[in-house]
Amino acid sequence: MSAMSNSNWSRRSIFRAAAGMAAAGTLAACGGNNGRGGGSGSGTNLVQFFHAYGEAGTEQAIKRYAKAYSKANVSTTWITGTNFEAKLFSSLLTKQAPDVFEFHPQLQLIKSGQVADLSDIIDPVKDDFNPADIKSHTVDGKIYGVRMIDDPQFFYYRKSMLEKAKVEVPTTLDELLEAAAKLTTDKVKGIDLGNDFTPVQGNLIWSAGADTLDANNQIAYHTDAVVQGLKQLRQLFTSGHVLLDAPTDWWDPSSLNQGLCAIQWGGLWSMPAMQKALGDDLGIFPFPKVGDNGKLSVTNGGWSMFVNAKGKNVEAAKAYVKWLWIEQKKYQEDWALSYGFHVPPRSSIAAQATKLKSGLPAEAVKLFTDYGHFDNIAWDQTMITALNDVIASSVRKGGDPEAALDACDKKVDVELKKLFG
């Protein structure tokens, strides 16, 4: 399935580009069923929005769960193409707004009254959720979303290619640049970090020992180590050792599977397809350390269900979310493990997830546990987009990273004032 996305890095990683809450436009071009009704229930009609997951069977699964719900007619709008966020946000301003939608915890949605408080349905089972998932959805003691899946993201690599080139698994960004050079041949690029490099922007910050925001919700990403890391990414971008025109973007396993690169940034969801293609030749490692005080890092993406607080059927929507994402453990397990791998956010389901208990999946869960960074609810779309711009200007276009971060600071400060006064 997935995790999240950026500018044109389609749909997957915590850091996404979006038009923001003021985006205009309609969903007419988004595909899927915008009509009300179509389920097997009677009475209330509910519409749920999902981004188009890449794994086969996901759309059918979500529609199958909805059909099994008897207390309302639940129809699914399955939004294909890039920029799910912009399409979602613009739709929330129209009469075609969904009753239920998947997204990531963001304070702007709560401050604007867009998402409903779900504490009453989550509190009874709160202790069964990963505490980090509860924390990332909680504001002033109220919980505003139900986590469906956790999606760690890290580097995949072809063991045989590294052995042939006599390359050790990189643990620093310097080593990653050296590895990419040694692994590049006339047919294979050393590394793929996504077509526009934005999938790793959070990791660059975390691996430099910094953070997006500190505990007081002040800017924490503008450090000397992050500036140096941006310069190194620029070096990598211009090196000729990077796959920059992959037929599919980073969230799809094709580039590594087809031998277009030796190392690829990706998510846990891709692991079954990669293991099927590459067998024991597949390895994983976290984003390497950046600078002298660096730390290894893994993105913990994921998706959560939210109820549109401005919809006409808030209580009916909450009842549906409670039924599917709290009560129906067989569906929750199916969603997390049958169409690609995800870490189940509920301990009771994770404890029974035999597919994640050994081999490479178990290694991935350990990376998730040891090095993972979860959503910061205060780090919103506008801030994410501002950081996308830093990558665009300093890494892809070769501008001064210090100046790019200064410009980012101004945008983030404006947003922080809106959120916190």
Side-chain angles (χ1 to χ4, degrees), residues 243-283:
L243 185 66
L244 292 174
D245 51 358
T248 58
D249 214 344
W250 67 281
W251 42 263
D252 184 280
S254 302
S255 293
L256 196 77
N257 286 359
Q258 294 171 8
L260 303 180
C261 60
I263 299 172
Q264 179 183 345
W265 187 254
L268 179 61
W269 58 83
S270 293
M271 192 174 279
M274 286 179 151
Q275 286 186 303
K276 189 176 178 185
L278 304 173
D280 293 337
D281 196 26
L282 188 66

Side-chain angles (χ1 to χ4, degrees), residues 332-401:
Q332 294 160 42
E333 182 179 17
D334 182 63
W335 189 238
L337 298 164
S338 297
Y339 312 95
F341 290 159
H342 311 262
V343 179
R346 296 185 69 170
S347 314
S348 56
I349 297 174
Q352 297 170 351
T354 51
K355 291 175 180 177
L356 304 180
K357 295 293 186 196
S358 60
L360 206 59
E363 271 185 57
V365 173
K366 184 162 172 38
L367 292 187
F368 167 83
T369 306
D370 292 352
Y371 307 117
H373 291 262
F374 284 77
D375 303 89
N376 181 337
I377 198 167
W379 187 252
D380 70 13
Q381 285 311 125
T382 303
M383 301 176 197
I384 289 162
T385 304
L387 196 56
N388 294 162
D389 294 343
V390 171
I391 299 291
S393 61
S394 63
V395 176
R396 300 204 302 278
K397 294 173 186 168
D400 174 25

Side-chain angles (χ1 to χ4, degrees), residues 223-245:
T223 69
D224 291 344
V226 170
V227 169
Q228 187 53 41
L230 287 165
K231 288 177 179 174
Q232 287 176 284
L233 281 191
R234 171 64 182 171
Q235 202 182 328
L236 189 57
F237 185 80
T238 56
S239 66
H241 306 142
V242 183
L243 185 66
L244 292 174
D245 51 358

